[in-house]
Amino acid sequence: MTPELSPLDIAAASALVLGAAGVSLAMSLGIGRSLVIAGTRMVLQLLLLAIVLRWLFATGSLTVTVLAMTAMAVFAGLEVFARQSAPAGRAWTIGIGSVAMIAAGGIVVLPALSLQIRAEQ
């Protein structure tokens, strides 16, 4: 069963982010603007992800699913590489990050599918 989020749930989460930004403003921490931008970016990314996952689940194709997982891992590797304060400077580090994410995902997903959900091919 999938939990449904109501507009009130979304508003409550947004109020928490805005509250943190307000505290930052009141205490002169200087991170209020970053919090609002990050919160907005997060909501947009999650909406886009929901659209993609809904389409992906509707297709039911193993090939499309594997391609989507690979693309997500590569983009995650690129994001990790971009956020390093002192990046290694070699393109292979993106590959290592992507492979590590695929491996970690497999370690979590495969037992969940086989033991908990009991998915069949």
Side-chain angles (χ1 to χ4, degrees):
M1 183 163 91
T2 304
E4 294 292 326
L5 292 176
S6 70
L8 183 62
D9 296 329
I10 305 293
S14 300
L16 290 172
V17 172
L18 291 174
V23 169
S24 169
L25 181 66
M27 297 181 71
S28 301
L29 298 176
I31 60 171
R33 184 170 187 254
S34 297
L35 283 172
V36 172
I37 290 171
T40 303
R41 181 179 175 199
M42 175 194 64
V43 169
L44 293 175
Q45 286 176 339
L46 289 175
L47 286 172
L48 180 61
L49 182 63
I51 292 167
V52 169
L53 288 177
R54 182 173 288 176
W55 170 79
L56 185 64
F57 293 148
T59 64
S61 168
L62 180 61
T63 305
V64 173
T65 303
V66 169
L67 288 173
M69 285 176 50
T70 304
M72 287 181 188
V74 169
F75 283 121
L78 288 169
E79 189 66 23
V80 167
F81 183 74
R83 292 186 179 268
Q84 292 178 0
S85 59
R90 295 188 175 95
W92 58 268
T93 58
I94 297 169
I96 290 174
S98 299
V99 168
M101 295 206 203
I102 291 171
I107 289 169
V108 172
V109 170
L110 293 177
L113 288 176
S114 61
L115 300 174
Q116 298 297 321
I117 301 173
R118 299 189 198 282
E120 297 178 9
Q121 291 181 345

